[in-house]
Amino acid sequence: MMKALIQMILHDKKDVLLAMTTGTISGLTAVALFAQSGFLISKAALMPPFYIILILTAFLKLFGVVKSVSKYAERFISHRVTFRFMSAVRMRFFKKLVPQTNLLQAYKSGDLLNRITSDVDLLQHFFLRVVYPPFIALFVFFATILFTLWFSPWLALILMIGFMFTSTVVPAILIYQKSNTAVQVKNAFTNEAAEYLYGYRDLQLHYQLATKEQSLQIISTDYSRLKKQELNREQSMHFWNQFISLLTAFFIVSVGAYFVSIGTLDGLYLAMLVLVALTVFESAIPLAMLPSHYKNAQEATARLDAIAPPASPTERMPLVSNKPLHITCENVSYSYQNTLHSAVLHVNCTIVAGEKVAIVGPSGSGKSTLFQLLIHGLKPISGEIFINEQPMRSIDEQELWAQMTIQLQHNHFFSGTLRENLLLAKPTATDEELQQVLDQVFITKSLTAIVYEKGGNLSGGEKQRLAFARVLLKNSDLWLLDEPFTSVDAQTEVHLFNTILTKGKDKTIVLITHKLIDLAKMDRIFVMNNGTLAESGTFEQLLTQRGLFYTMFTQQIRGDKK
Ligand SMILES: Nc1ncnc2c1ncn2[C@@H]1O[C@H](COP(=O)(O)OP(=O)(O)OP(=O)(O)O)[C@@H](O)[C@H]1O
């Protein structure tokens, strides 16, 4: 991705060039300003005609103004490049991140948050502190060394040695010393903090709060210590830079004084050359921190790359068919990352348009995984799912989801009003329409009722009924519902199940459920077991078959009677 970062920066070639030019002008005029001051002091001591002093002072003013204006322009332009660059980085990252619906399963949420915020933000230093400071330092030093060469090759050599030390030796030491640990510890700290916050209530109930707090405290102390070490290292690098600059000035004074004494250098220029040497190192100050910023950027990009592998280059096509949708699974298998067994294995099935299919099976048999595959939340590891003969993976996702009405096991509710949360499913719905669906799902709250973030003030059953209200509002031709009423009381559940059948009379419906009693009303039942589609058929067929469905059904009936 480092190459990609450079390419993103180069999108703004004109501004990059302008920032470098203004930065170089600012560096050069700073040197010229001090050179001129040194020269003016020496010249004034020789009592030249007044107009000479006047001209020299005018130049001093000119350099001062140019330095300030060019510095301002450099800051302005370089930050403009950085803002555009950051926006491109964020867009690139989010474009890859958003389609990966299973990210929270693969990463801890604290870790993910760290990558989204802190890793992306670390890259803001990439242009400002890594890419262009070396160019400016190089130009300014090169011009200053040439300038000094005009007066004395030896003094130019001293300046060059000083530059070599400050631009290569000091940063090289920093590269050698910098380790990855601070980033890793920071990550561990964020993870621990996120788990502490999410699990606060459970930890409290199990008397484990103090233990967790202790481990959080230990990681936090480790992190602070490492940050302090990093800061110390950076400060020592600044110190060495300053030291080299003063040492160079010292050698220039000593060697220059010697040359003046033997008459190979005019004493008039000595103060000027010393001030030049002191000033030119200012443009090298950012170089001390360059390796640290470079390494940070490298680590951040590696972490971002790890989470967001390049999107598959396959072109997504629109859903071409305008016939009612039917779904076909051909030998579909899926296994989760870092697991040995398949959650779904060699599933073959067809769901024809208008059909009502229930997917049932023991807990952990692969129902939800198959559901996720059907809604394109997961992509099969092998096999293919077709929508009207068109491979699902080739269809534009937005278009696909526009045709599907999906109710997940857990649905999100945003902080706002009930109305706003319902409009998500149908932005054009009138209040009358919204009120109607609320009545159909037996919600008595008003449309203006406040909903907390994540539906914190709603009961489990209310959340499910509101999610179902969204289904009724969206009302596309294909409904996919994953255990929609597990938290709803038995009587309301029967009503809502009937609503599915009446309102979805002409729809294709796929319903995952544990409740087997009412399934006679469904056209077909798929029975999952250990990831495979063990049985399929109508309610009567499956009962006559006396297989897994029959066993589950009789057990459930017995359980209900007890
Ligand atoms: N994110 C995940 N990472 C790894 N394994 C997973 C993940 N999600 C599910 N599994 C595993 O995949 C298998 C199928 O899980 P799935 O959730 O599809 O079952 P299910 O039939 O829907 O179960 P339930 O009825 O309890 O919801 C199980 O063995 C489960 O442990």
Side-chain angles (χ1 to χ4, degrees):
M1 193 174 163
M2 290 306 257
K3 214 168 129 195
L5 292 186
I6 302 275
Q7 277 167 355
M8 276 183 233
I9 288 175
L10 290 181
H11 267 301
D12 255 345
K13 266 193 214 88
K14 216 170 102 194
D15 268 0
V16 170
L17 217 64
L18 258 175
M20 283 184 183
T21 313
T22 46
T24 310
I25 292 175
S26 160
L28 285 177
T29 43
V31 174
L33 187 70
F34 278 83
Q36 180 79 347
S37 311
F39 185 68
L40 180 64
I41 295 165
S42 310
K43 193 79 184 170
L46 299 179
M47 305 281 245
F50 187 63
Y51 75 92
I52 298 275
I53 300 285
L54 219 61
I55 293 172
L56 289 176
T57 316
F59 266 104
L60 212 59
K61 286 266 175 219
L62 178 72
F63 287 140
V65 171
V66 175
K67 177 182 176 291
S68 307
V69 172
S70 52
K71 189 85 203 159
Y72 176 80
E74 180 216 344
R75 286 279 153 91
F76 180 79
I77 300 164
S78 61
H79 281 79
R80 194 164 65 189
V81 173
T82 300
F83 286 136
R84 287 204 206 110
F85 165 67
M86 288 307 288
S87 144
V89 167
R90 286 203 174 93
M91 285 307 292
R92 185 186 142 100
F93 183 55
F94 282 113
K95 265 189 196 159
K96 288 175 181 173
L97 191 67
V98 171
Q100 301 191 50
T101 43
N102 57 340
L103 270 178
L104 269 176
Q105 294 162 351
Y107 291 88
K108 291 184 176 178
S109 58
D111 182 18
L112 198 58
L113 192 68
N114 229 352
R115 290 174 204 244
I116 292 172
T117 54
S118 117
D119 287 350
V120 170
D121 279 348
L122 264 181
L123 294 178
Q124 68 179 300
H125 299 303
F126 188 65
F127 176 65
L128 287 178
R129 312 244 194 273
V130 177
V131 174
Y132 91 105
F135 287 98
I136 294 181
L138 201 72
F139 282 131
V140 173
F141 262 93
F142 186 65
T144 310
I145 289 168
L146 277 185
F147 175 74
T148 315
L149 198 62
W150 179 265
F151 298 95
S152 160
W154 287 105
L155 297 187
L157 183 67
I158 294 173
L159 207 56
M160 200 155 102
I161 293 171
F163 177 61
M164 296 297 281
F165 265 92
T166 202
S167 63
T168 49
V169 179
V170 174
I173 294 171
L174 194 62
I175 290 183
Y176 180 72
Q177 286 185 343
K178 176 128 181 12
S179 65
N180 295 348
T181 348
V183 175
Q184 283 159 5
V185 174
K186 183 182 176 194
N187 197 25
F189 174 67
T190 322
N191 284 338
E192 199 72 8
E195 295 224 320
Y196 175 77
L197 290 175
Y198 286 137
Y200 187 82
R201 213 167 7 176
D202 291 65
L203 289 168
Q204 219 172 18
L205 293 175
H206 293 97
Y207 301 107
Q208 291 299 323
L209 208 57
T211 321
K212 196 76 175 173
E213 265 168 8
Q214 222 169 14
S215 73
L216 195 61
Q217 187 65 45
I218 293 171
I219 299 185
S220 160
T221 317
D222 276 357
Y223 181 54
S224 312
R225 189 172 40 81
L226 282 165
K227 274 310 270 184
K228 213 163 143 191
Q229 276 176 6
E230 209 168 83
L231 208 70
N232 284 345
R233 216 162 30 221
E234 285 170 7
Q235 274 168 353
S236 81
M237 287 306 129
H238 272 301
F239 163 80
W240 283 112
N241 224 18
Q242 206 72 24
F243 179 74
I244 292 165
S245 137
L246 290 173
L247 202 66
T248 311
F250 171 76
F251 278 116
I252 287 189
V253 172
S254 314
V255 178
Y258 170 71
F259 288 149
V260 172
S261 73
I262 61 171
T264 49
L265 177 71
D266 189 339
L268 186 63
Y269 303 122
L270 189 57
M272 175 184 82
L273 294 173
V274 172
L275 283 180
V276 160
L278 281 172
T279 323
V280 75
F281 279 91
E282 259 177 38
S283 59
I285 288 174
L287 297 185
M289 294 314 303
L290 188 143
S292 160
H293 290 304
Y294 179 76
K295 266 211 137 174
N296 282 341
Q298 211 177 22
E299 277 170 28
T301 42
R303 282 162 53 79
L304 293 178
D305 267 352
I307 204 168
S312 120
T314 48
E315 273 276 306
R316 293 280 158 85
M317 289 181 294
L319 188 53
V320 258
S321 168
N322 48 15
K323 285 190 293 188
L325 300 183
H326 66 266
I327 306 174
T328 314
C329 293
E330 265 185 26
N331 215 12
V332 171
S333 297
Y334 185 83
S335 22
Y336 289 96
Q337 255 178 20
N338 310 323
T339 55
L340 294 174
H341 70 287
S342 299
V344 164
L345 189 62
H346 304 310
V347 168
N348 289 291
C349 63
T350 304
I351 300 164
V352 299
E355 199 176 16
K356 319 281 177 279
V357 173
I359 303 179
V360 301
S363 185
S365 57
K367 302 182 294 295
S368 292
T369 309
L370 181 61
F371 183 86
Q372 285 295 331
L373 290 162
L374 292 177
I375 65 169
H376 208 37
L378 298 173
K379 280 115 199 133
I381 282 173
S382 63
E384 196 77 76
I385 302 177
F386 297 88
I387 301 274
N388 290 10
E389 285 85 41
Q390 196 174 343
M392 193 185 249
R393 66 178 86 226
S394 75
I395 302 172
D396 180 80
E397 277 163 349
Q398 294 307 319
E399 216 176 301
L400 188 67
W401 290 327
Q403 309 268 355
M404 291 178 170
T405 299
I406 299 166
Q407 181 173 343
L408 302 169
Q409 252 180 44
H410 302 285
N411 300 278
H412 190 82
F413 295 93
F414 296 89
S415 107
T417 60
L418 216 56
R419 180 191 286 110
E420 284 160 356
N421 273 285
L422 289 177
L423 287 177
L424 199 71
K426 188 177 179 188
T428 55
T430 60
D431 274 4
E432 222 181 334
E433 222 174 325
L434 297 180
Q435 192 55 58
Q436 230 171 25
V437 289
L438 278 188
D439 295 342
Q440 281 163 7
V441 299
F442 311 105
I443 295 270
T444 49
K445 288 187 166 145
S446 87
L447 286 173
T448 51
I450 297 294
V451 175
Y452 294 172
E453 191 186 40
K454 294 188 193 162
N457 57 340
L458 300 171
S459 72
E462 279 173 335
K463 282 189 210 167
Q464 289 190 329
R465 280 179 287 150
L466 280 174
F468 185 57
R470 283 177 178 165
V471 169
L472 295 177
L473 278 170
K474 186 164 178 196
N475 197 22
S476 67
D477 285 342
L478 176 58
W479 292 9
L480 297 126
L481 316 172
D482 188 357
E483 301 193 36
F485 310 127
T486 46
S487 305
V488 174
D489 65 89
Q491 204 184 351
T492 315
E493 187 181 3
V494 173
H495 283 302
L496 293 175
F497 182 67
N498 287 333
T499 311
I500 293 183
L501 297 175
T502 48
K503 296 283 167 194
K505 193 157 52 86
D506 308 318
K507 316 288 181 190
T508 311
I509 296 176
V510 178
L511 168 76
I512 295 193
T513 181
H514 277 284
K515 191 107 188 245
L516 312 178
I517 317 286
D518 286 327
L519 296 187
K521 294 173 185 163
M522 302 297 278
D523 295 325
R524 257 185 327 148
I525 300 163
F526 291 170
V527 187
M528 295 291 293
N529 193 23
N530 291 329
T532 60
L533 180 54
E535 295 169 10
S536 79
T538 63
F539 185 75
E540 285 77 22
Q541 283 170 345
L542 291 180
L543 286 185
T544 324
Q545 211 171 302
R546 296 198 162 229
L548 179 60
F549 182 78
Y550 174 82
T551 315
M552 285 165 49
F553 181 74
T554 43
Q555 273 169 1
Q556 203 169 80
I557 293 228
R558 256 185 252 134
D560 279 358
K561 277 186 185 156
K562 272 183 197 167

